[in-house]
Every structure is written in structure tokens, then in C-alpha cells.
Amino acid sequence: METELSQRLGIEYPIFGFTPFPAVAAAISQAGGLGVLGAVRYGAADDLARDLDWLDAHTAGRPYGLDVVMPAKKVEGVTVAEIEAMIPEGHRRFVKDTLARHGVPELPVGEQSGWRITGWMEEVARRQLDVAFGHPVKLLANALGSPPPDVIQRAHANGALVAALAGSARHARHHQEAGIDIVVAQGYEAGGHTGEIATMVLTPEVVAAVSPLPVLAAGGIGSGEQVAAGLALGAQGVWLGSIWLTTREAELNSPALTRKLLAAGSGDTVRSRALTGKPARQLRTRWTEAWDDPATPDPLPMPLQGLLVAEAVSRIQTYEVEPLLGTPVGQIVGRLNTERPVRAVFDDLVRGFERAITRVNRIAGREGGRPR
Amino acid sequence: METELSQRLGIEYPIFGFTPFPAVAAAISQAGGLGVLGAVRYGAADDLARDLDWLDAHTAGRPYGLDVVMPAKKVEGVTVAEIEAMIPEGHRRFVKDTLARHGVPELPVGEQSGWRITGWMEEVARRQLDVAFGHPVKLLANALGSPPPDVIQRAHANGALVAALAGSARHARHHQEAGIDIVVAQGYEAGGHTGEIATMVLTPEVVAAVSPLPVLAAGGIGSGEQVAAGLALGAQGVWLGSIWLTTREAELNSPALTRKLLAAGSGDTVRSRALTGKPARQLRTRWTEAWDDPATPDPLPMPLQGLLVAEAVSRIQTYEVEPLLGTPVGQIVGRLNTERPVRAVFDDLVRGFERAITRVNRIAGREGGRPR
């Protein structure tokens, strides 16, 4: 299983695994894919430095990547306190009332919000990059627009390719003009921030828009047949996030959330602005329903909504308040039915891909059953 | 290009083309696929009889199908007039005001509504079936739920397979229990009535749910690579509707609508209840925007909404009032960029499929380039 891009990155399979957990990223890279560690949950650069050290020690020299969230539009000279002051009182009251209605306890005195919204600030992302470039990061991905030109330059100087997520052909062309190396075409069915064009339509559209730039298909991919479909659509690789959430190596630290993920079907997600202010696919919960109710306040624009709900999300997670407890996840959540090691999930992707190729070859009337 | 299902139906390619136009259906069947004529626009059974005669004369004995709309829930002993009386006055006023705001003229006196909502009534569908079974229809598809048991029986007795559309694995299992032969897994990105699960996720889910029943992948398929992707997902065939709308053989009879379809991108559709009361993907227009505005009346449930807007849709179409003019169409509308003969579209599907298979074989490190 080899594309030009996988050769360039020196990986065995063009399977890219996004995850907030270092142990998952390491296991993906060890299995022959490219583990991409999400940096948004790291507030302090020291924590990231420690986890990248750990990754270096546990990937046996295999390549891995880092995913930062650097908003395309920079907010100049505004402090977090000033941004917080923009949040309407009615919205604060709605958060408070919703938590009270579900009996969500306060955090213990002195306990910090665990959901580190500060990772969304460019300043924080830049400190993370200072740390990252001291490590052999082979892929730098940005989840919100193209990274600034100096960051792209610095990544290239450090031997890393730069990827950016796009929900439309127009976004993808912007990225290409900005000088990035890889476009991740993120379809409607994907977890997290996502547009309205489904992967089946988006992938070939983005491939056509930015060719010869390599494209990764993202959204709705959690099995080998879906890997085959993504590659048939013209992608040079696939980008999977949700499928790792219930692996043994994942550190959700929430038995209740794991239970919900294992029980959820493909229809149990919703694309909602409740979490960050931009539409992001996540488990449908009483929390998203409360925000999506036309009778309640509309979610605020990014980054206000994230700041507004950060503490609430932290309380919901800390006390595992089931009706409100959610996480960004794609429609393939319907496939998350058992807790398994990353390796088992990865091997299934490869085996399923091979089976799918054999099957389409049979349909096409080709030999093709024979590995070279 | 051959699956068990295509063999069973005696067609060269497992490509199923849904269309409201007999000339398009004939051309699809002649090209080696299976043309499926949509019956909903036929009010009078005589018109359908005439067009099926024409199909028999123009398909050279190749199989074709018929798609009826038979609601799963039967409304017993209620007349159209009684149903019409359930429509609130405020809704009628909103339709009138919206048309007036856009200067839509009245229909000439005596002219009937062209949009034949009556095709949605079981009584009408049954008269259509009486006609259909006098013709060698090889596939009977139902767009709303499973057909009643006696219809399935009659179809089988007449040598036709029965297909039903499903937007979820649960729907698909219902169809299977009802005794149908083929499930069309209709993804979120499809035109017309559709659910929220994207084709990439829905197809393998439905295949797993109803195996060994054959499944057709529908939604987002308009190119050969998308055909390959649909088949890689485990489908035994693909079901395409939107891609034929701008073929030479299509009789939209509206240069303005054709222009809009050719100009639209993949982001220019919306899943809206404005047309029938159930969510259906269509071009985003001032009409859908008016109905989807939270400040205006909510669309009524099916069949009320269809009855409410039938005359309005007819007026908009008759006078080609561009801002309001729309049609059900999927996200692949972004691919409709030229008017071409059905044959050219079909040949592109086949050639694109072959290219995609060659490409994935190269990725998989298999020979596979060699046709058998």
C-alpha cells in the first residue's frame, strides 16, 4: 500500500491517524502509518515537550506529526480577559442554568479548567511550535486555515511537510496558494470542525482543484473498505481520527464517555456550534440539544463560545454527567463497538483494504487478486 | 464490470440511473446500465402507459425499471380536499406573499398545476402499477418505505425485482423483513429525500445490516471514481439520479433551470422540507431560503406541504422565475458543467471506473492493470 506521498514521508501505509493521545500516535506510527498528535489540549508548552520526548522514545525513529490549531485570522493585541468581556450575560446565565438543571457540581476550589481553550490562541500555538521544532516532527497539520507564511517556512526548514484541512475546493486552493504541501479534505461526516460537502463528493473535487498537490480523504473512514473508497476517489492517503477514540491506548479517562462512544450509532452525532462556535461534529447530547434549541441563545462566534463553555465542559467531564457528556466524533462512531489495541484496528484497516481491492478487481473482471 | 446483481438483471454494468425522463431511461438501458423511470410526475395512468410503450420500443429488449412513490403509511378514506383543508391559512398566505414579492404571475385560467403531487397518493401509485405490470418492468423501486406486501408479490409474479430506498441501517432491515430484493442506500449527499448519514458511512453499514441482500450505493456518485468508491464500500451496484439532469435527452424544458444546474457548485444545495414536507436535497433558492428562515412558517408535514406548494412550484417553473427556480439534486451538481448525451456520461463512468481500479491496484502493489 504505497502512494507517492507515503514514499515521500517514509511510511509503509498512507494511513494518517489524528489523535490527542501520545500513546495512540506512537502506536499508529509503529504500525506503519503516520500518527499525528493533536496539540490543542496542551496549554503549557512544557507538557507538550514532555509528550514529544515520550513520542521520540516510543516511535523507534518512525515518522510522526503534530496538529496545531492556528486560526487564519489573527486577533491582534487582545487579551483573553478582553475577549471574555465580550460574552453576553444572558449566555453566561444559560450555561449556569443548564448545568444547574442537570445537577453538575462545581469544580473543587483551585482546580483548573481541563479543557484548555488557550490552545486555540495563536500565541499558544506559536509556543507549541517552538517546542515542536526541537523534535523530528515530519508533518505539521493546521486545523483552521493555512498556517502563517513564516510557520510554513520554518516547518520546511525543519524537514516537515505542512498539511491543512479544507471543507471545500475553494479552501483547498487558498491553502495551495499559501504554499502548503498536503490538503486534508474533511468531509461532512467527519468529527470536529467540518463543512457540508460529504467525503464522496469533496475528495475528488479537492483533488481536481489542487492537483498535483496530494490530498488526504477525511471523514467517514474507519474500515479498510472505506480506506479503499477514499483512495479510489483520488486521494493519496486517508486521515482518520474518530476510530482511535476507543482504542486501549486512548486516555479518555472517562468510562462513561467510552461507554457512550461504544453504544452510539452513526445517527447519534450532530454538527453543532455548541462547543467552539464553528460547526463541529460531535456526539448528540443534552448539551448540544440545549444549544441547538431555537428557544435558547445561539452559540457565540469562535473564540467566544469556546471560552464561554470551557469550564462547563470541564465540569461535565470531571463528574461524567452522562446526559451532557460528549466529544467531537464522526459518523463512523457507529463502528466503535469494542475497545481494542491500536494495532488491531490498524491491521483491520490494511486487511479490509486488501479484501476491498480483491472484490473490486473481481467486479472489474481483472486478475488483481494476486499481490505483486 | 459485473456483480451478482447485474448478472441476475442481465445488464452489462451495475449502474442504475434514476430519471423522470423516458428518453434518459432508454439511453441508460441502451448503454448497458438499468434506466429507472420515475413515475411521480405522472398523474394520469394513460400518460405513463404511453411512455412505457415508448420505452419498450426504444430499449431494444434491454431491461428497465420503474420508480413509484408509495408512502409506507396509508391514509385511509381521506380525500385530497379533506387533506387540503388541514393546511393553515397562515401558510397559504406565506406562499402567496412569497410569490407576490418575487412577481410570480398567476397561471393562465384553466391551466393545471404541472407538478403532479397526486403521484404521491397510494391510489395513484396503484393505478400506475396496474399499467406498469402490463410492461416488462424488471425493477420496481419505491422511494418511500417498503411497498405493501401484495405489491411486492405482484412484482415478483411479473418477474420484477423490488428495490426500496433507505437512509439508515434500521430502515434497510425493515425493507428486508418486508421481503424486498434490493436496498438502495441513499446517503446524505444525494438529491431528493435523504437522511443525515453520508454515503461513505451508510453504504457499508447497510451492507452489513442486510447481507446477503444486494445494496446499491446512492448519493454523491457522478463519476467513475465515485462508482469505484461505492463498489469498494461493498455495494453490488450504484444508483445515480442527478448526473442525468443536464444530459441532452433530459426534458427539463427550462433553459433557466439548466443554466442554474450547470452553474451550481457542490455547496449550492440544501436539505430542506420546503418541497414535500420531508427533508429533500435540492438547489438552494430564494424559495428554500424563505421556508428555512426561522422567522417564517415551518414547512408542513408530508403530504400537506406538497399540496400547499404544488401550484406555486408550477408557476415558478412555468415562468422560470430564476431566484425561486429549483429542483431536487444532489451535491454532485458541482459536476454538471456541460450538456452531453447520456451515452457520453455513461461511457465516462465506465472509463473513470477502470482508471480508478488501475490506480488503486497500483497503490495496493498488485498487477490488476490487466483486464481478464
Side-chain angles (χ1 to χ4, degrees), chain B residues 18-19 36-42 65-70 128 137 139-144 163-165 184 239:
Chain B
F18 167 82
T19 172
V36 181
L37 182 67
V40 72
R41 77 188 183 102
Y42 295 92
L66 188 72
D67 182 276
V68 296
V69 180
M70 210 171 235
Q128 293 177 340
V137 168
L139 180 79
L140 179 71
N142 190 29
L144 281 180
L165 271 68
V184 182
W239 173 275

Side-chain angles (χ1 to χ4, degrees), chain B residues 65-143:
Chain B
L66 188 72
D67 182 276
V68 296
V69 180
M70 210 171 235
K73 285 185 211 124
K74 192 171 169 172
V75 189
E76 292 280 2
V78 184
T79 66
V80 173
E82 281 165 340
I83 294 175
E84 290 241 23
M86 297 177 196
I87 297 174
E89 196 41 45
H91 279 74
R92 295 206 185 271
R93 209 174 318 118
F94 175 64
V95 168
K96 210 173 152 187
D97 292 350
T98 306
L99 294 175
R101 206 166 44 249
H102 288 86
V104 182
E106 300 273 349
L107 289 180
V109 178
E111 185 118 327
Q112 247 214 323
S113 164
W115 206 70
R116 301 187 188 277
I117 189 60
T118 47
W120 298 86
M121 306 277 159
E122 172 158 352
E123 204 184 296
V124 178
R126 285 197 172 264
R127 276 201 303 269
Q128 293 177 340
L129 289 177
D130 288 339
V131 169
F133 290 134
H135 294 262
V137 168
K138 285 288 172 238
L139 180 79
L140 179 71
N142 190 29

Side-chain angles (χ1 to χ4, degrees), chain A residues 8 140 145-157 160-164 171-183 210 213-214:
Chain A
R8 205 158 135 207
L140 180 70
S146 316
D150 67 299
V151 171
I152 296 177
Q153 244 174 355
R154 215 172 141 199
H156 288 164
L161 297 180
V162 179
H171 287 164
R173 273 188 297 263
H174 280 299
H175 292 327
Q176 184 174 37
E177 284 157 21
I180 64 139
D181 308 292
I182 300 165
V183 176
V210 302
L213 221 60

